[in-house]
Amino acid sequence: MANTESTHTEPTQAPKQIVATMVDALNCALAQALEEDEQVVLLGEDIATNGGVFRVTEGLKDRFGVRRVMDTPLAETIIAGMTVGMATQGLRPVAEIQFMGFIYSTMEHIVSHATRMRNRTRGRLTCPLVIRAPFGGGIHAPEHHSESTEAMFAHIPGLRIIIPSSPVRAYGLLLSAIRCNDPVLFLEPKRVYRSVKQRLTLDAAGLPIDSCFILREGQDITLVSWGASIRETLLAADQLQILGVSVEVIDVASIKPLDSDTIIASTKKTGRLVIVQEAAQTLGLASEIIARVQEQAFFQLRAPISRVTGFDIPMPYFRNEALYMPDTQQILDAAQATLAV
Amino acid sequence: MKPTNAQTEVARFQIFKEEYLAADGQLLHPLPQNLSADTLVRFYKHMVYARTFDQKAIALQRTGQLGTYPSALGQEAINTALGMCMLPEDVLVPYYRDHSTRLIRGTPARDLSRYWGGDERGSMFSDLTNPDFPDCVPIATQLSHAAGVATALKIKQLPFATVTTCGDGATSRGEFYEALNLAGVWQLPLVMVVNNNRWAISVPFSKQSSVQTIAQKAIAAEVACLQVDGNDPVGLLKCLDEALKRARGNKGATLIEALTYRLGDHTTADDARRYRAAAELASAQEIEPMIRLRRYLTAQNLWSDELEQAETEQSKARVQVEVKAYLATEPQTPDDFFDYVYETCPPELERQKHFARAKFARLQQAKHGNGHGDQHG
Amino acid sequence: MSHTFYLPDLGEGLAEAEIVLWYVSEGSPVTEDEPLLSVETAKALVDVPSPVSGRLIKIHASAGEVIPVHSALAEFTVQEQPDTTPAPALTPRSTANSAPITTEKAKPSPSAEHTNIHDNATVVGKMETTQDISEDVFIIGTARPAQPELEPRSLNLALGPSRVPKSRSDETHPFGTGGPASAKQTRFSTQNASGQTLPMTTTPALVSEDIYDIEPIKGSRRAMVDAMTSSRENVCAVTIFDKVDISSWYGNQDITTALVLAVCEAAKEVPKLNSWLDASERKLYVHHHVNLGLAVDTPEGLFVPVLQQVNRIPSYQLRTVIDQVLEEVRSRRSPPERFKRATIAISNFGSIAGRYATPVVVPPMTAILGVGRCFDEPKLFQSKKGKLKISQHKMLPLSLSFDHRAATGGEGARFLASLMRALARTASH
């Protein structure tokens, strides 16, 4: 079980409460991590002086210095490789890959090294590292800047993958990810970066990274999603609520290892499951959820499980993004079809 | 490092920088033999057009009619020189700031606008004989592609060259070294041009690498290399022409580092004032290529204010025609997003296509139900 | 020809902007791309260029106003040729763009001359922003079971007027797994067949008055959830209750040891209750030895250490062995094997409180003995002189649960009878 507890001493006054976007929340979490543990270092392109192209690391170089908040040369492979090396020597590096579209050259280091280090040294060397990357579409960016390929990484043993969907949970999840001793891929849905503002208590509390979050409790149907699609999922739940349907909404958040218990328990209760996934259909996370649910809750299902996903095509350029990304109407249609059985 | 008695020198290298036209518009050396004044006037006109388009693109972005766009302000000379020196059969494998080269090589500005406007057909190129690659966003990956293209040309024994470009930041990536290494060991007909505009988003080159020159990185791959003033049209024409001829003549690859300055932001969504000093920008503006060439041409009585005015108006008019065509582009159909994934659309994708058509119809209805919708079709 | 200019998306995903300054006045000619006005967004001051050449005839929003994106900003009359007469300038800057393209300085983007620093907060695309502040509401982990409902409700989906949002389409379910891919519409209704409105159920959201601790269910409690769920779903339990008179040895003999010995006796006589049931394979593994699970209550939860082959342990050693095992559990030093392979279990809840119970049979076991709190029971007897007298007896209440899939009622009863005989016979030391 991952250690999610704060290692800092008790604050002498009540923790501060702020209004935060996800960018603010991540910034606060990084600041907290840097403050509580000297071994935490940040690295990435444009993160120090420029504060990151999305401003997630804004102000951190000024506060913690260039030895702990480092601008790297432009090279994802070496960023990943050196993160592995640093992590084995007692540091806790948090590397930023500027966009998920540029993460593929890091795969060799993640797959062949970071996720195997503990296993192949039988625990002697480990990689307590975090690789952060903005991902997903919806900000009208040029090509390659809107990828959702978390499924590729979810196949790799030894890796943890976390995807927050709200500022408050982004804060707690990132703290836990940094404190955890396993390699973590922390994917930040950039469409949510600034589009949601929440009251956030800066209490240094981590959230569990082995558990789903239930955002609404209900009895008639379960909607499961993660990342930016949570917004459309909640909107669909609102509409279903108006029509008299009691909807349970689950935010997966910890994509790998997957907390299928929560999803299965919910499906056993409601008997109906719809999964919403921004990524392309084939072999996305929805496939794994469906496989597990049908293994363990087959007889409790009242309708086949349904998934609302992107198409199996390269994401269209921004002008036609809306065609690709699952919208509220699609979720409603899928839910209604499931309820009609 | 002073050698000890036990050490003997086994190799020594020199890096040269080519310069002809100084910032004040004075020639430092006589014009190369085959370079006529007329060529330089055409060069200048190409730059006027390129900069006109560049400014228009920014304005389009600011009025919500174009997506994020990377300006090439101040770097037009490099790409103009490439465009003028390349043969139609040479292949261009660019990164994303080579607008002038594209325009000269026949890609109309409407296609560039389509690409940056979020329409895949911008890279389709209405001229299907154009062999060039589309713009490349993942940094430095085009260099490996270029090595492959050059290899193909060599295998087919075609007397043409591959030209590839990248920025200074790209030279930190492994791909850069791998491509150079291959070019060196296989003697590829490749000309690699590094646009060293000193900035990789917010990272100045001094933080990117501690080398004195990027050109010297080619030494490690046994590839000929040269530095050139990237704001000097004469110098650029001369060394690029030579490098291309070497490549076409199967004499091997060349790495050319063109020194210039990124006068604009990284893209229209960036703001360079966050991380660089106004004074530095001001002094870079003094030595930019268009001012210097105009000074020279004016002194040679080949240019004047009237000609400037006329050329500007004409460029604007040409750009206007292209922009109108861009803005009038028919939207793509949903089928377009499915029909180019495979050669023939497989059954599982056919089913998704059917669903996409229905979704598209619904979205269209919602959009045109609104009062305002997009300003662009 | 007139042209209405709507406030565009400035690449920052803004919802609204404040008009700062108009560079051109109403009635003046304008040239396309010439700076028209400056607006302030959430973070930056941006110059918006004129979209057309012609004349600005109407300004819809003046300096200081805040207007939403896509609302009307200005009206123009559009000319075919650009007007070359200089506009009457409100600031000198407005004539800048009619100058030749190469001025002494190459001009970066029009707004660079402001001293305010832009911040689009991205390097590509546009970020959607918001002014709304919301609360984050969530529960960690396993879904809670269905709430009991106060009123009956039905989802009557096929009848009644539709309240479905109107943009229906023939978007049949795309991926074929979500129910019948029917071309006909699926209609929702909040009314049932007789036209009565169905009750709306809303799930209560956590509000600030709720005070709660979130306890993740981990470790032994998690195991307990799983074990009990499995039992509920599989076992067909029957419990037989009885009490046994232990007056003869009460106070002189350890109860746990006595129970252990008694269970071993009963298991010898009715081995069917000392077994593992594999219902799917239709097999009953009837054990020869007794691995007795002793339910132990600790602050960390329920633990059931197993006394392996306890029937082979000499009776005088039993107490020591039991004490050792219990000590291990209490100090959390038990090796993992300690909790495995139980064939039958005892739960002595009576040490705390309670008389009779329905203890839970945990598969693959088929029986469990629940032991309640000793109590005094008066009994009438006839003295030697024939007088009716009352004596006090120490009674030990027993609740034997067994899985009726594995054993018959008779077998269960006989096991209990044997158990009780053995307990009654317990020697007093």
Side-chain angles (χ1 to χ4, degrees):
Chain A
M1 177 79 60
N3 172 28
T4 58
E5 277 156 30
S6 160
T7 57
H8 78 311
T9 51
E10 286 299 310
T12 50
Q13 61 213 19
K16 204 166 140 206
Q17 211 193 50
I18 61 169
V19 171
T21 60
M22 187 182 277
V23 168
D24 300 326
L26 294 168
N27 185 275
C28 290
L30 289 170
Q32 171 64 34
L34 283 161
E35 178 152 331
E36 74 185 18
D37 185 353
E38 266 179 15
Q39 306 307 316
V40 173
V41 294
L42 309 187
L43 59 149
E45 297 164 18
D46 300 288
I47 67 157
T49 306
N50 206 25
V53 292
F54 289 103
R55 312 290 176 256
V56 173
T57 51
E58 178 114 59
L60 296 177
K61 182 201 81 171
D62 290 338
R63 209 172 134 189
F64 295 98
V66 294
R67 273 188 207 285
R68 299 190 64 201
V69 181
M70 301 174 263
D71 269 336
T72 62
L74 199 171
E76 286 75 15
T77 313
I78 189 71
I79 289 172
M82 75 169 145
T83 301
V84 168
M86 288 159 81
T88 61
Q89 300 302 303
L91 292 178
R92 290 189 169 267
V94 181
E96 177 180 301
I97 298 296
Q98 210 160 76
F99 289 90
M100 190 170 199
F102 308 137
I103 206 170
Y104 307 111
S105 60
T106 69
M107 279 191 94
E108 175 154 30
H109 285 293
I110 294 176
V111 174
S112 304
H113 299 292
T115 58
R116 286 179 193 237
M117 193 65 74
R118 180 192 296 279
N119 183 59
R120 58 201 283 256
T121 62
R122 288 301 192 239
R124 180 173 62 83
L125 293 178
T126 59
C127 283
L129 61 87
V130 176
I131 294 179
R132 293 177 40 242
F135 90 118
I139 68 159
H140 283 219
E143 61 174 338
H144 303 284
H145 290 78
S146 307
E147 316 283 290
S148 288
T149 48
E150 67 272 18
M152 288 167 71
F153 292 89
H155 189 63
I156 307 306
L159 182 64
R160 288 187 180 269
I161 302 176
I162 299 171
I163 299 181
S165 68
S166 77
V168 166
R169 275 167 278 141
Y171 176 79
L173 288 169
L174 183 55
L175 278 174
S176 294
I178 296 172
R179 293 167 182 160
C180 150
N181 294 324
D182 296 319
V184 179
L185 181 63
F186 195 88
L187 296 172
E188 300 160 4
K190 53 172 117 52
R191 181 156 68 101
V192 184
Y193 263 163
R194 290 179 185 273
S195 60
V196 176
K197 277 193 175 128
Q198 288 180 334
R199 269 178 266 273
L200 169 66
T201 305
L202 300 178
D203 56 4
L207 281 170
I209 53 176
D210 55 1
S211 198
C212 299
F213 298 105
I214 300 169
L215 305 183
R216 302 257 177 92
E217 290 187 279
Q219 314 188 51
D220 297 329
I221 186 169
T222 303
L223 301 183
V224 171
S225 189
W226 57 92
S229 303
I230 287 288
R231 173 163 90 176
E232 278 70 32
T233 307
L234 287 171
L235 286 172
D238 288 341
Q239 297 218 38
L240 289 167
Q241 210 83 35
I242 291 168
L243 298 172
V245 181
S246 166
V247 183
E248 184 138 301
V249 178
I250 295 178
D251 175 16
V252 179
S254 294
I255 304 299
K256 186 173 176 93
L258 180 65
D259 167 21
S260 36
D261 290 348
T262 300
I263 300 171
I264 286 165
S266 176
T267 308
K268 282 183 176 173
K269 176 172 78 171
T270 65
R272 298 169 204 269
L273 178 62
V274 174
I275 305 166
V276 182
Q277 166 182 299
E278 181 180 317
Q281 179 195 30
T282 300
L283 291 169
L285 185 71
S287 319
E288 179 64 26
I289 294 174
I290 293 173
R292 295 194 197 188
V293 171
Q294 76 81 31
E295 275 169 3
Q296 300 189 47
F298 183 80
F299 292 105
Q300 284 84 5
L301 287 170
R302 296 185 215 178
I305 304 168
S306 151
R307 51 185 175 166
V308 179
T309 71
F311 304 113
D312 284 318
I313 60 175
M315 185 139 185
Y317 291 5
F318 72 82
R319 189 173 288 282
N320 290 284
E321 238 176 6
L323 180 64
Y324 179 91
M325 296 182 53
D327 61 18
T328 310
Q329 188 61 54
Q330 281 173 265
I331 304 172
L332 272 174
D333 292 345
Q336 288 169 353
T338 306
L339 286 158
V341 169
Chain B
M1 215 169 69
K2 221 168 169 295
T4 68
N5 289 338
Q7 293 171 333
T8 47
E9 188 178 288
V10 295
R12 182 183 281 229
F13 308 104
Q14 283 179 301
I15 307 292
F16 297 102
K17 180 178 173 188
E18 188 125 6
E19 285 176 287
Y20 274 85
L21 191 64
D24 58 6
Q26 300 291 326
L27 267 181
L28 299 168
H29 309 281
L31 281 182
Q33 223 176 354
N34 52 355
L35 182 56
S36 72
D38 202 51
T39 307
L40 290 175
V41 172
R42 277 191 296 124
F43 196 111
Y44 186 77
K45 289 181 178 178
H46 281 309
M47 287 204 286
V48 171
Y49 183 59
R51 191 167 289 186
T52 308
F53 170 71
D54 200 81
Q55 291 199 336
K56 183 65 183 177
I58 294 171
L60 285 172
Q61 192 277 330
R62 292 268 185 266
T63 51
Q65 300 175 90
L66 198 75
T68 306
Y69 169 77
S71 167
L73 189 68
Q75 303 144 79
E76 298 90 343
I78 300 171
N79 294 116
T80 302
L82 268 175
M84 291 177 75
C85 294
M86 285 175 75
L87 294 174
E89 299 88 345
D90 291 332
V91 184
L92 176 69
V93 186
Y95 69 122
Y96 47 77
R97 234 187 264 282
D98 302 294
H99 317 308
S100 187
T101 314
R102 286 223 183 273
L103 291 169
I104 294 171
R105 281 177 68 70
T107 306
R110 72 190 66 181
D111 275 348
L112 295 192
S113 306
R114 283 168 186 146
Y115 176 76
W116 297 108
D119 188 325
E120 287 85 341
R121 292 170 297 186
S123 300
M124 215 166 153
F125 298 166
S126 24
D127 172 13
L128 292 176
T129 65
N130 187 328
D132 295 345
F133 268 55
D135 278 2
C136 185
V137 169
I139 305 282
T141 49
Q142 71 278 5
L143 304 174
S144 299
H145 305 158
V149 170
T151 305
L153 290 176
K154 187 160 178 145
I155 290 171
K156 293 189 195 183
Q157 295 183 317
L158 293 170
F160 302 116
T162 309
V163 172
T164 186
T165 57
C166 68
D168 43 290
T171 65
S172 293
R173 286 203 98 208
E175 302 258 10
F176 171 77
Y177 297 96
E178 292 183 43
L180 266 181
N181 185 58
L182 193 70
V185 73
W186 281 8
Q187 290 278 290
L188 294 179
L190 180 65
V191 177
M192 194 184 291
V193 180
V194 177
N195 175 349
N196 184 353
N197 65 17
R198 317 303 174 127
W199 289 92
I201 309 187
S202 70
V203 179
F205 188 69
S206 56
K207 294 232 177 92
Q208 195 67 245
S209 174
S210 55
V211 287
Q212 193 184 345
T213 70
I214 291 178
Q216 73 204 50
K217 295 191 179 196
I219 309 269
E222 198 69 21
V223 168
C225 58
L226 193 60
Q227 235 189 19
V228 67
D229 183 340
N231 296 333
D232 169 6
V234 180
L236 284 164
L237 283 171
K238 161 97 177 5
C239 68
L240 286 172
D241 189 53
E242 271 176 4
L244 283 164
K245 285 183 166 124
R246 281 190 63 233
R248 290 185 206 121
N250 208 17
K251 301 269 189 348
T254 314
L255 172 68
I256 293 175
E257 176 190 2
L259 299 164
T260 178
Y261 195 89
R262 195 192 77 201
L263 291 178
D265 301 321
H266 172 68
T267 62
T268 46
D270 175 47
D271 184 354
R273 290 169 303 168
R274 284 173 61 86
Y275 51 78
R276 67 181 186 188
E280 187 187 280
L281 178 61
S283 50
Q285 282 167 338
E286 292 294 317
I287 61 167
E288 66 104 346
M290 285 185 74
I291 291 178
R292 97 167 56 175
L293 186 57
R294 186 178 168 185
R295 281 178 181 148
Y296 171 76
L297 292 174
T298 308
Q300 301 294 314
N301 291 322
L302 293 167
W303 202 252
S304 68
D305 283 347
E306 290 76 35
L307 285 172
E308 179 79 23
Q309 180 89 350
E311 193 60 39
T312 306
E313 293 308 314
Q314 199 180 59
S315 285
K316 280 192 173 158
R318 278 172 69 198
V319 166
Q320 198 63 359
V321 168
E322 292 296 308
V323 168
K324 238 179 116 168
Y326 157 64
L327 293 173
T329 310
E330 285 299 310
Q332 297 189 73
T333 69
D335 285 25
D336 290 338
F337 299 103
F338 289 83
D339 291 342
Y340 296 100
V341 181
Y342 293 95
E343 186 176 9
T344 48
C345 194
E348 67 179 30
L349 223 48
E350 279 292 339
R351 208 168 50 172
Q352 294 186 10
K353 189 202 291 189
H354 181 78
F355 180 85
R357 283 181 189 145
K359 181 174 177 184
F360 183 75
R362 164 167 68 79
L363 292 175
Q364 287 295 93
Q365 197 181 46
K367 184 159 72 172
H368 295 122
N370 283 341
H372 305 314
D374 272 345
Q375 287 173 323
H376 162 71
Chain C
M1 182 175 73
S2 82
H3 175 93
T4 309
F5 183 37
Y6 301 97
L7 179 67
D9 239 316
L10 291 169
E12 300 169 56
L14 63 140
E16 59 189 22
E18 180 185 328
I19 312 296
V20 176
L21 183 63
W22 282 90
Y23 299 131
V24 181
S25 52
E26 265 183 13
S28 305
V30 285
T31 320
E32 192 177 335
D33 297 336
E34 165 194 331
L36 185 66
L37 76 155
S38 71
V39 298
E40 179 139 27
T41 68
K43 293 187 180 216
L45 207 51
V46 180
D47 272 355
V48 179
S50 174
V52 295
S53 291
R55 198 168 289 274
L56 174 61
I57 53 173
K58 183 95 181 84
I59 290 176
H60 287 300
S62 19
E65 273 189 57
V66 176
I67 62 168
V69 164
H70 299 311
S71 53
L73 200 50
E75 300 284 333
F76 297 87
T77 50
V78 183
Q79 289 177 347
E80 280 315 305
Q81 301 94 332
D83 197 322
T84 52
T85 58
L90 295 177
T91 69
R93 199 188 299 104
S94 63
T95 53
N97 263 33
S98 52
I101 199 152
T102 46
T103 53
E104 281 306 298
K105 290 193 184 326
K107 291 169 84 69
S109 64
S111 46
E113 288 170 277
H114 286 284
T115 51
N116 294 38
I117 301 291
H118 259 284
D119 192 359
N120 297 312
T122 179
V123 75
V124 292
K126 59 181 186 184
M127 303 304 295
E128 190 190 318
T129 57
T130 184
Q131 300 306 318
D132 300 327
I133 302 169
S134 53
E135 297 296 325
D136 200 43
V137 175
F138 60 94
I139 299 167
I140 297 170
T142 311
R144 300 209 278 255
Q147 307 302 322
E149 293 187 339
L150 300 173
E151 290 172 65
R153 55 194 296 281
S154 60
L155 286 173
N156 220 320
L157 302 174
L159 306 170
S162 166
R163 290 238 243 129
V164 164
K166 72 168 158 58
S167 61
R168 307 296 14 236
S169 64
D170 60 328
E171 282 171 76
T172 56
H173 198 275
F175 306 127
T177 57
S182 54
K184 67 178 192 283
Q185 304 303 315
T186 313
R187 290 178 191 282
F188 254 23
S189 177
T190 56
Q191 297 187 330
N192 65 12
S194 30
Q196 297 167 313
T197 308
L198 300 172
M200 307 257 273
T201 54
T202 50
T203 42
L206 295 166
V207 297
S208 55
E209 289 84 28
D210 290 336
I211 301 171
Y212 54 92
D213 291 323
I214 297 174
E215 285 183 13
I217 297 181
K218 312 191 274 204
S220 69
R221 286 194 187 272
R222 204 178 176 112
M224 182 171 77
V225 171
D226 295 338
M228 297 304 143
T229 305
S230 166
S231 174
R232 182 77 183 83
E233 281 169 359
N234 296 303
V235 174
C236 182
V238 175
T239 310
I240 307 183
F241 306 101
D242 213 328
K243 58 199 175 191
V244 60
D245 191 337
I246 59 169
S247 310
S248 60
W249 55 267
Y250 179 75
N252 296 323
Q253 174 60 288
D254 169 53
I255 289 189
T256 308
T257 314
L259 285 166
V260 170
L261 290 169
V263 165
C264 292
E265 272 290 314
K268 258 198 300 201
E269 281 194 40
V270 190
K272 278 227 168 34
L273 267 65
N274 181 44
S275 59
W276 287 344
L277 174 65
D278 185 339
S280 54
E281 295 292 313
R282 304 275 197 265
K283 285 193 179 126
L284 192 65
Y285 296 86
V286 181
H287 287 274
H288 293 198
H289 295 299
V290 176
N291 298 338
L292 185 54
L294 280 180
V296 179
D297 173 64
T298 75
E300 284 86 27
L302 168 69
F303 291 91
V304 187
V306 181
L307 305 170
Q308 305 286 347
Q309 300 195 348
V310 71
N311 54 302
R312 298 172 73 199
I313 301 177
S315 57
Y316 62 87
Q317 280 183 2
L318 261 180
R319 187 70 236 177
T320 317
V321 170
I322 293 170
D323 285 338
Q324 243 167 18
V325 166
L326 294 180
E327 175 50 39
E328 254 178 22
V329 169
R330 296 213 165 92
S331 59
R332 301 298 306 275
R333 281 185 301 107
S334 312
E337 311 78 68
R338 177 66 69 216
F339 302 103
K340 298 191 173 149
R341 307 185 61 75
T343 59
I344 189 167
I346 294 178
S347 172
N348 187 358
F349 54 86
S351 53
I352 303 171
R355 198 169 285 192
Y356 295 104
T358 51
V360 178
V361 179
V362 178
M365 289 188 279
T366 55
I368 178 168
L369 175 69
V371 182
R373 203 158 181 72
C374 280
F375 61 96
D376 290 322
E377 196 172 74
K379 281 198 179 140
L380 290 171
F381 71 95
Q382 213 162 38
S383 72
K384 287 182 203 135
K385 294 189 180 152
K387 277 211 169 141
L388 221 48
K389 287 207 170 166
I390 297 176
S391 62
Q392 191 163 282
H393 295 258
K394 212 66 173 171
M395 307 304 291
L396 186 67
L398 299 171
S399 310
L400 176 73
S401 291
F402 63 93
D403 189 341
H404 210 318
R405 298 176 300 161
T408 64
E411 281 155 354
R414 276 194 288 281
F415 185 94
L416 184 60
S418 167
L419 188 74
M420 288 168 62
R421 276 196 301 274
L423 276 171
R425 271 200 320 262
T426 300
S428 193
H429 306 322

